[in-house]
Amino acid sequence: MAYLVGQFFGLMTTVCSLIMPFLKKKWQLLWANIAINALVILNLTLIGQFGSAVFLCLVAIVQSVIALFRTKRDTAPGTGETVAFAVLYVGFGFFGIVTAPDFVWAVNYQNLLELLPILGALSQMISVFVRNEQDTRKWLLCNALFWVVYSAAVGSSVVINDLLAVISTSSALYKYRKKKA
């Protein structure tokens, strides 16, 4: 039953991700990002894929909340904050890898697979820190591409979300592109 509920939360991320790229304001993108990461945590935990991705989504939620306050005050993150979040993403990503139930100290498929959420999370981090909405969408597209591969490999219904996120983010990039005069 938990597996089915988890897959339901995965499908709910799809709904949010279809809407997210078409939101116009940065604060709207950030709130949608918080909701999506929370739903992914529920999905992965309930389907038994508690690994680096769960920890990375937690960091992404914290970063998005901080970015909401920064957006309201129209301030950019400092170098210290950027470095701190990069360290958190990499650190929590590797913590998730070594605490996974099937972890072994070797280079194997599962350990390499767990690197994809870390790369996606770093793209996510950059998407939150950039101030231009179009640049945010570009980094969200990179994030979605990493997650497509990861979600497909672990058998999560979030793969539908990730594929649609690639399509909708690409569409939004096209819709909001700057036209040359």
Side-chain angles (χ1 to χ4, degrees), residues 50-52 93-112 114-115:
F50 193 85
S52 64
F94 282 110
F95 178 76
I97 291 172
V98 299
T99 58
D102 55 356
F103 175 75
V104 290
W105 287 98
V107 176
N108 62 27
Y109 171 76
Q110 186 64 33
N111 291 350
L112 292 175
E114 289 292 331
L115 292 176

Side-chain angles (χ1 to χ4, degrees), residues 26-47:
K26 179 76 174 187
W27 67 269
Q28 295 168 327
L29 291 166
L30 291 168
W31 273 112
N33 190 40
I34 291 168
I36 289 167
N37 278 290
L39 289 167
V40 169
I41 289 170
L42 291 170
N43 167 259
L44 292 175
T45 302
L46 291 171
I47 69 167

Side-chain angles (χ1 to χ4, degrees), residues 46-174:
L46 291 171
I47 69 167
Q49 290 297 324
F50 193 85
S52 64
V54 172
F55 292 105
L56 294 169
C57 287
L58 285 170
V59 176
I61 290 170
V62 171
Q63 183 193 15
S64 294
V65 169
I66 292 169
L68 276 169
F69 289 108
R70 289 202 168 284
T71 300
K72 187 172 184 173
R73 292 185 177 95
D74 197 29
T75 59
T79 303
E81 184 178 335
T82 304
V83 170
F85 272 104
V87 168
L88 282 172
Y89 278 120
V90 173
F92 274 94
F94 282 110
F95 178 76
I97 291 172
V98 299
T99 58
D102 55 356
F103 175 75
V104 290
W105 287 98
V107 176
N108 62 27
Y109 171 76
Q110 186 64 33
N111 291 350
L112 292 175
L113 181 65
E114 289 292 331
L115 292 176
L116 292 174
I118 296 170
L119 296 172
L122 291 172
S123 299
Q124 154 75 25
M125 178 190 79
I126 296 168
S127 80
V128 171
F129 282 149
V130 296
R131 295 176 79 175
N132 177 289
E133 288 85 358
Q134 198 68 340
D135 290 339
T136 297
R137 290 181 188 95
K138 290 174 188 173
W139 285 105
L140 287 173
L141 180 61
C142 291
N143 179 34
L145 291 170
F146 286 117
W147 283 98
V148 163
V149 177
Y150 178 80
S151 297
V154 300
S156 170
S157 62
V158 174
V159 73
I160 297 166
N161 161 64
D162 298 331
L163 288 169
L164 292 173
V166 168
I167 294 167
S168 63
T169 303
S170 298
S171 299
L173 278 166
Y174 180 78

